[in-house]
Structures are given as structure tokens and as C-alpha cells.
Amino acid sequence: MDETFDSRKFLKSLKKEMDEHETTLEAVRYAMHRIAETLPYYKWVGVYWLKGNTLLLGSYVGAKTEHTRIRVGKGVCGTAVKENANQIVRDVRERDNYIACSLDVRAEIVVLIRKQGRILGQIDADGHEVGVFDARDEALLEGVARLIADRLPDHP
């Protein structure tokens, strides 16, 4: 992430803009577009929703993917849920359980969306350069995840 990027300003603006959308689906779709437009090294960014033991693809920006359903424990996305931990993968080629979406992908970050301690989904992003994601991206996506979670019901 560029040193001049102001995450707080971005999140404040994003919250205001998401609040202008009537439905959560529209707000999430808008958030994914804003991330992709603002941070061009996010070559693919989207949300997966956790339903039972499966992650289901929601809104995303980037190349079409065949990975619309991912079992918990499979790939970087499934590992994040299984371990209840965000994932920053510097080089996807170093992961035995990586699910290839594109030969161009070199790095991936997954940040969980939680509400009241429950995992509801995740934000997943791919980059085409090794090591493109870091702790600043994780903090930013955690902020976006909170904005999304705030729009979701408090109960299952």
C-alpha cells in the first residue's frame, strides 16, 4: 500500500457512501468496486459468505471465477475460516492448499467478516505481484469488514 494512502479517510468516505445504498447487497457491491478502483494492485476483490461448512461467492470485482463455492478448510479462504484467522499469503506458490483462480495471481489476502464473535464471511483479494499485501491492507480490509458487519442482522 502506498505510504500516502489514508485508510481512515477512505473508510470514513466509504461508510458514508455505503450508507447511501438501501440494501446490504448494493452496499457490499459498491465497497468492492471502491476498493478495486482505489487500490489498483487489488486485481480481484470480493466477498464470500459462510453458509454452514461452505463459503459462497457474493459480490466481486475482477476476472470471472469458477470458485463460487469453497469448503471450509480448502484453499486460503477455507483455511481462514477453519483457523478463525485472517490470511496474508506473500506467494501463493508456497501454499500446498492454494486453489488457483488464475495463473497471474501471486499474492492473496483474506480478512474475516465477524459479528458478535461469529464468522459471517470474508473479504478475499488477489494480487499479481509477490508480497503485494501487508498488515496495512489487513487493517484496511478489517475496517471494511466492520462496515459490512454493521449492516448485517445481530442474529443468525
Side-chain angles (χ1 to χ4, degrees), residues 31-146:
M32 296 305 104
H33 280 277
R34 268 295 303 282
I35 292 167
E37 290 169 358
T38 306
L39 301 166
Y41 61 96
Y42 281 66
K43 300 300 183 185
W44 190 99
V45 60
V47 171
Y48 282 93
W49 298 107
L50 182 62
K51 301 291 181 201
N53 228 11
T54 304
L55 290 159
L56 304 175
L57 182 60
S59 298
Y60 71 93
V61 176
K64 187 174 171 94
T65 180
E66 61 193 45
H67 304 290
T68 59
R69 302 171 66 84
I70 300 172
R71 299 286 297 166
V72 170
K74 299 290 183 185
V76 178
C77 291
T79 297
V81 174
K82 182 178 179 185
E83 295 179 358
N84 191 19
N86 296 338
Q87 306 284 307
I88 301 175
V89 180
R90 178 174 159 63
D91 186 344
V92 296
R93 294 171 294 185
E94 296 174 355
R95 279 284 181 101
D96 291 337
N97 70 342
Y98 175 67
I99 300 172
C101 294
S102 160
L103 295 176
D104 295 326
V105 175
R106 289 292 172 253
E108 185 170 5
I109 184 168
V110 175
V111 171
L112 297 170
I113 300 169
R114 295 181 179 97
K115 185 146 190 177
Q116 297 178 335
R118 253 182 54 241
I119 299 172
L120 302 177
Q122 60 189 217
I123 301 170
D124 177 29
D126 295 337
H128 291 178
E129 298 173 34
V130 171
V132 73
F133 301 116
D134 62 23
R136 293 172 295 178
D137 293 284
E138 181 179 22
L140 174 69
L141 293 180
E142 284 177 336
V144 175
R146 281 190 297 277

